[in-house]
Amino acid sequence: MPNTTEPPRLYPALRYRNAGKMIDWLCEAFGFSVRARYGEGDVVHHAELAFGSSIIMLGTARDDAYGKMVGAPGSGGGKSIYVAVADADAAYARAKTAGAEILEELTDRDYGSREFICRDPEGNVWSFGTYWPKADGPAS
């Protein structure tokens, strides 16, 4: 059984064409806060954005070895992040106000979650909902 006081072990990593602009947008639209940001000029080599006890990492899309592995930003499919929130309605309002493309309106799921799905300006899909699995708890 994992120790509930240990830091998270999973850190989604995203590449954006305009990472600097997206950092600002993700903070405004989704409530992230900047934990770290490294780079030169308009290029973000590495940034960490916090959301509660969770962190995503991101940087500017580059034609380097890692960039070739993960591919270019966009709506090519297979890219999605789920974010557990206490208030899905408030998260929805914030995302919509910031211009997130709403892909699925707020809905109540049969497993008890209230959630919505949206796309950020560079094509990544984000789901926000009240379903919040805990690593040390039973599966719902």
Side-chain angles (χ1 to χ4, degrees), residues 12-88:
L14 304 169
R15 289 275 179 115
Y16 285 104
R17 286 180 290 277
N18 189 335
K21 182 177 178 182
M22 287 305 303
I23 289 169
D24 295 340
W25 190 88
L26 291 165
C27 290
E28 177 187 346
F30 298 158
F32 282 98
S33 61
V34 178
R35 184 176 177 281
R37 181 177 175 163
Y38 307 98
E40 300 169 11
D42 291 336
V43 176
V44 176
H45 295 295
H46 175 81
E48 298 170 6
L49 303 185
F51 188 92
S53 62
S54 299
I55 294 171
I56 63 169
M57 298 185 295
L58 62 94
T60 301
R62 297 183 301 278
D63 190 23
D64 58 8
Y66 184 70
K68 289 177 176 126
M69 283 183 259
V70 300
S75 58
K79 301 170 196 152
S80 175
I81 296 176
Y82 178 87
V83 181
V85 295
D87 185 345

Side-chain angles (χ1 to χ4, degrees), residues 82 88-89 92 102-117 128-131:
Y82 178 87
D89 291 79
Y92 173 87
I102 305 300
L103 301 175
E104 184 175 270
E105 295 289 334
L106 276 165
T107 189
D108 294 312
R109 303 285 187 204
D110 58 359
Y111 49 88
S113 184
R114 180 155 176 79
E115 52 196 46
F116 70 96
I117 302 171
F128 290 82
T130 58
Y131 177 69

